[in-house]
Amino acid sequence: MNDSEPDRRTIAFAASSVPESYESHLAPVVFGPWAEVLIDAVGVRLGQEVLDVASGTGVVARLAAARAGTAGRVVASDVSGAMLAHAATVPSPAGAAPIEYLEASVTELPLDDGSFDVVLCQQGMPFFTNRPAAAAEMLRVLRPGGTLGLSVWAAGRPLEPFDHYIAALAQAGVEPPFAGAFDSETFKMAEGNVRMVLEGAGLASVDVRTIEHEVVWPDAESATLGILGTPFAPLLGQLPPERRDALEAQLRRRFSPPAPGGAVRRTTAAVVARATAPGG
Ligand SMILES: C[S@@+](CC[C@H](N)C(=O)[O-])C[C@H]1O[C@@H](n2cnc3c(N)ncnc32)[C@H](O)[C@@H]1O
């Protein structure tokens, strides 16, 4: 990639069709439950100021706002204006901190040094081209003694449901929309890699662990529809109807539950890290 070329992995969520499907089909089953895991691991207390980086449709930001309460403050930042615009339409729970939406890259946050108690980043790292610069910028905006919480899919483990979307697209002869898009390892990190990036940026007391979580769709159809919330959705729209139908039929087969019409249960695994800004 040269400087004049947009980073297509980072802008993968720019399409306006993606956010609504992300929020309807992926957030309730995958990203919402994982947000609880991340925030439980990190801890967000009443009155705290929280930044959610790569916030997407705001799944983590809304949960953090509920934990921070009306005396708290939450900023939801993302490079995709489309994701943030949808986030702003989703109501926050009663008694939650107000949420401000900020369109910005993680490596250039227009925010003051040392202005947050907690910085959160769920599944943003796989899309950042410069991970060390992202970690350094997240540390810059943390107060001394503040907490960073980060999660990323675990290297070497199956990536449900995305492995199935990738396999079906590749089988249908679709071209990857950005480099490595059909290599699911590029969306994951190993524990040691996460530790290295965070310690390399200057974070202290880095705790890194792999956590498993079962995700459950009510049926194969809703698991199949999750593909519309991924950066692969615009590719489906470009397929002739019969090829798209065949791809969706293949996904329904891949997700077919043991009992016809039953729930689809899959195990996901993520590396969850908690680290502290030095000083304080
Ligand atoms: C898989 S989504 C995760 C969204 C949200 N954190 C969640 O858990 O639902 C990845 C998000 O990273 C954002 N993103 C990618 N590159 C970014 C960058 N350089 N700076 C900020 N956000 C970025 C995308 O726009 C997308 O919303």
Side-chain angles (χ1 to χ4, degrees):
M1 190 184 70
N2 62 47
D3 286 347
S4 59
E5 208 178 318
D7 173 0
R8 295 207 286 157
R9 180 175 283 256
T10 264
I11 60 164
F13 287 85
S16 59
S17 68
V18 170
E20 191 176 349
S21 295
Y22 185 97
E23 186 59 25
S24 322
H25 303 301
L26 293 176
V29 176
V30 181
F31 295 96
W34 269 109
E36 304 250 3
V37 174
L38 175 64
I39 290 182
D40 285 347
V42 171
V44 172
R45 297 193 304 278
L46 283 176
Q48 285 191 314
E49 297 194 60
V50 181
L51 170 66
D52 179 29
V53 160
S55 186
T57 57
V59 176
V60 171
R62 284 187 295 279
L63 188 58
R67 302 279 177 100
T70 48
R73 172 191 178 221
V74 173
V75 175
S77 76
D78 199 285
V79 78
S80 165
M83 292 295 265
L84 290 180
H86 189 78
T89 69
V90 182
S92 286
I99 302 178
E100 300 154 40
Y101 296 95
L102 176 66
E103 188 175 332
S105 171
V106 60
T107 49
E108 289 174 87
L109 295 168
L111 296 165
D112 290 342
D113 292 359
S115 48
F116 290 91
D117 302 300
V118 178
V119 173
L120 299 168
C121 179
Q122 173 167 275
Q123 301 304 340
M125 274 286 177
F127 297 93
F128 302 160
T129 313
N130 190 338
R131 294 173 183 173
E137 187 68 345
M138 290 191 271
L139 171 58
R140 181 186 68 74
V141 300
L142 268 178
R143 297 202 168 100
T147 308
L148 173 72
L150 182 147
S151 64
V152 55
W153 302 123
R157 304 289 294 267
L159 183 52
E160 296 279 357
F162 308 100
D163 280 342
H164 298 287
Y165 303 152
I166 288 171
L169 286 161
Q171 195 172 323
V174 174
E175 285 298 314
F178 48 85
F182 290 174
D183 173 1
S184 81
E185 288 302 315
T186 68
F187 298 100
K188 309 172 194 170
M189 289 173 77
E191 284 186 13
N193 194 0
V194 172
R195 174 180 294 284
M196 196 176 67
V197 170
L198 298 185
E199 289 181 342
L203 283 139
S205 308
V206 178
D207 177 82
V208 179
R209 57 191 66 192
T210 299
I211 298 178
E212 286 189 353
H213 184 75
E214 186 182 59
V215 297
V216 186
W217 280 272
D219 49 40
E221 183 63 19
S222 47
T224 297
L225 287 173
I227 195 172
L228 301 178
T230 71
F232 308 138
L235 305 175
L236 291 190
Q238 292 160 15
L239 288 176
E242 64 280 4
R243 277 177 70 199
R244 180 178 173 150
D245 289 349
L247 190 151
E248 288 176 353
Q250 192 199 134
L251 284 176
R252 276 182 216 105
R253 280 195 298 279
R254 284 175 171 270
F255 291 119
S256 69
V264 180
R265 297 175 180 277
R266 297 297 159 93
T267 301
T268 53
V271 174
V272 177
R274 183 185 196 280
T276 305

